[in-house]
Amino acid sequence: MREEKLTAYLKGAFKGRRHTIKSAELERVLEMSGTDLRKLVNKLRRKSVPICSGADGYFYAKTAGDIVRTIRKLKVMIKGLQAAVDGLEAALDKFVEPDSSEKGVEGTV
């Protein structure tokens, strides 16, 4: 139900990058959290529903260019996430487990 509601809402009132809606407003309209909205958008995109986004918010694609710009933005995000993973993996390589005398101290401040 939420999938159809979001798709119809964007397609009807927010078609093209000049007609966007902020995440907070969509959350209010659909009565869901930002996390749930992002998950729903991701699910719909995986089903080939052309929901795009930019600095001004979400919108339903009007042109192929709308989709291409969103793809580019997502690819930049992927690179940033991969860099974070790479950094954490490098940190893990240097991570030293506490010896047995330090056990039980973890998590205390």
Side-chain angles (χ1 to χ4, degrees):
M1 179 63 178
R2 285 182 164 183
E3 291 178 28
E4 294 84 9
K5 186 175 181 180
L6 175 58
T7 301
Y9 189 67
L10 290 176
K11 191 174 184 179
F14 300 96
K15 198 166 187 179
R17 65 186 169 123
R18 291 189 177 150
H19 305 283
T20 62
I21 182 170
K22 295 279 186 192
S23 178
E25 180 64 14
L26 258 182
E27 293 164 28
R28 187 189 64 73
V29 168
L30 298 173
E31 298 176 336
M32 65 173 55
S33 69
T35 299
D36 288 341
L37 175 61
R38 286 185 296 280
K39 286 179 181 179
L40 182 58
V41 167
N42 184 286
K43 182 177 182 179
L44 288 167
R45 285 173 173 170
R46 288 172 183 236
K47 292 181 176 185
S48 301
V49 177
I51 296 175
C52 297
S53 57
D56 295 327
Y58 290 104
F59 60 97
Y60 194 91
K62 186 174 182 180
T63 67
D66 290 339
I67 296 171
V68 169
R69 278 184 284 280
T70 297
I71 290 169
R72 284 184 190 142
K73 186 185 86 159
L74 291 171
K75 286 183 176 183
V76 167
M77 292 170 65
I78 290 168
K79 286 181 182 178
L81 288 170
Q82 187 59 57
V85 168
D86 294 346
L88 286 171
E89 286 176 342
L92 187 59
D93 291 341
K94 299 173 190 172
F95 197 82
V96 178
E97 291 293 329
D99 65 21
S100 60
S101 66
E102 294 180 26
K103 287 185 180 175
V105 179
E106 295 176 43
T108 60
V109 179

